[in-house]
Amino acid sequence: MHPAPLRVGRIPYANLVPIFHGLATGDVPGGVSFVDGHPSELNRKLRDGYLDVAPSSSIEYAVRPDRYLLCPDISISSRRRVMSVLLLSNEPLRRLPRDPIAVTGSSDTSILLLEILLRESMGRTNLLVRTELPAREALRRYPAHLVIGDEAIRAAVDGVAPHVTDLGEWWRRETGKPFVFALWIAARSAWEDRRESLSRFSAALLDAKRTAQASIRRGEYPWGGPDWIPSSFRDDYWRCLSYNLGVETEGLSLFYELAAKIGRIPAAPPLRFLEIGRHIAVVE
């Protein structure tokens, strides 16, 4: 009997196109089944046991650290601006009223990041209201709207809002650190039951990351991109992203500390990694 395939989450956003292109063109081990979904969907499937590993919201790991392990050396981060996590607003940031703010229903980490930035840098506790409304309609009902992923890119390209605040850039301005939006998170149960398959996939994932980074450094984008995104925007966008998880852990640890400070998690967790062919230290 053949073992069941390793169930891998796949987010169909532009920020992960280089990684999944690298997987598709690289030496991905057999027995892998991809499951598409936006970040909050993959979070739910991972926690409910329907996925073995996924690029999931960084806050998902912090809420349930005893249930997960992290794939080493890979993330979806920004060291300055991120260009796809945006607060659209009708007024400049400092003039936002204390009214409720609309936020995407597709993200968990970005919503918490916005809450932390509003509290820490502006002393605001605006109610954040999840909505599936299109950006233009949301801005007719609310003073601001948080959008992520391709929706954010489209809003920026189309000039939907008179004012746009990049949350990666805002975080960098306030903290001086990178921000980790997503981690490749594996269920501990998968590591216990499917160690060899998960190890092979994690190694292939790191190969895909290195291939993507080399292409970006050369200014070559063999994965193409949606035709509606101008090529100059795509170039800037992929150059802004970091797929590493080295110095990025400094920003991740601070994010967890601030999340604990406002009571969204019990405490900042240690970062515990899969060990794939070498010893990976626990980052306390």
Side-chain angles (χ1 to χ4, degrees):
M1 180 181 296
H2 294 290
L6 191 72
R7 300 163 301 175
V8 178
R10 179 169 58 191
I11 301 173
Y13 286 173
N15 58 6
L16 274 162
V17 166
I19 300 299
F20 283 107
H21 178 270
L23 287 171
T25 57
D27 188 20
V28 179
V32 172
S33 174
F34 290 104
V35 179
D36 288 345
H38 60 62
S40 59
E41 284 179 325
L42 296 190
N43 292 347
R44 286 194 299 270
K45 289 179 179 180
L46 189 63
R47 80 174 71 110
D48 291 342
Y50 296 111
L51 289 174
D52 299 310
V53 60
S56 287
S57 302
S58 55
I59 196 60
E60 175 65 22
Y61 173 82
V63 172
R64 301 167 183 84
D66 292 341
R67 296 177 56 176
Y68 298 131
L69 294 167
L70 302 175
C71 295
D73 303 334
I74 188 166
S75 71
I76 304 171
S77 303
S78 66
R79 294 190 174 175
R80 287 178 176 79
R81 58 179 179 156
V82 65
M83 299 178 69
S84 58
V85 181
L86 306 176
L87 184 66
L88 312 175
S89 59
N90 296 314
E91 297 286 345
L93 185 62
R94 293 293 171 181
R95 289 173 53 188
L96 282 181
R98 297 182 181 273
D99 299 343
I101 292 174
V103 295
T104 176
S106 301
S107 176
D108 294 323
T109 292
S110 299
I111 293 172
L112 180 54
L113 173 60
L114 176 60
E115 181 181 8
I116 287 170
L117 288 169
L118 287 169
R119 285 173 178 261
E120 293 294 315
S121 71
M122 299 175 65
R124 298 289 189 85
T125 56
N126 298 66
L127 179 66
L128 303 181
V129 180
R130 288 186 184 248
T131 182
E132 300 298 330
L133 291 173
R136 291 186 190 277
E137 187 174 345
L139 287 171
R140 286 195 287 268
R141 300 189 187 188
Y142 299 93
H145 180 33
L146 174 67
V147 289
I148 71 164
D150 290 5
E151 182 184 11
I153 296 173
R154 189 180 290 277
V157 169
D158 292 348
V160 166
H163 301 278
V164 178
T165 301
D166 185 306
L167 263 63
E169 198 166 39
W170 188 3
W171 169 266
R172 178 75 184 199
R173 188 167 64 245
E174 297 294 332
T175 69
K177 299 183 184 300
F179 190 81
V180 178
F181 288 92
L183 298 158
W184 279 83
I185 302 175
R188 281 182 181 266
S189 58
W191 182 242
E192 293 165 1
D193 299 338
R194 314 281 305 285
R195 185 165 302 204
E196 185 177 348
S197 296
L198 191 51
S199 293
R200 290 199 306 267
F201 177 77
S202 297
L205 187 61
L206 292 180
D207 286 342
K209 181 194 80 166
R210 287 187 283 268
T211 298
Q213 288 173 323
S215 292
I216 291 169
R217 283 194 298 271
R218 293 193 301 268
E220 299 173 358
Y221 310 106
W223 47 81
D227 291 339
W228 55 268
I229 302 179
S231 59
S232 59
F233 187 102
R234 292 200 302 264
D235 292 354
D236 289 344
Y237 177 59
W238 282 312
R239 288 180 182 277
C240 282
L241 292 173
S242 171
Y243 293 119
N244 294 323
L245 190 56
V247 68
E248 290 80 5
T249 59
E250 296 178 9
L252 183 62
S253 295
L254 178 58
F255 174 57
Y256 287 162
E257 290 170 13
L258 293 172
K261 176 182 175 181
I262 65 173
R264 295 296 176 259
I265 56 175
L271 306 182
R272 302 187 185 278
F273 296 91
L274 303 174
E275 297 180 11
I276 54 170
R278 59 189 176 86
H279 177 70
I280 301 291
V282 173
V283 180
E284 300 291 353

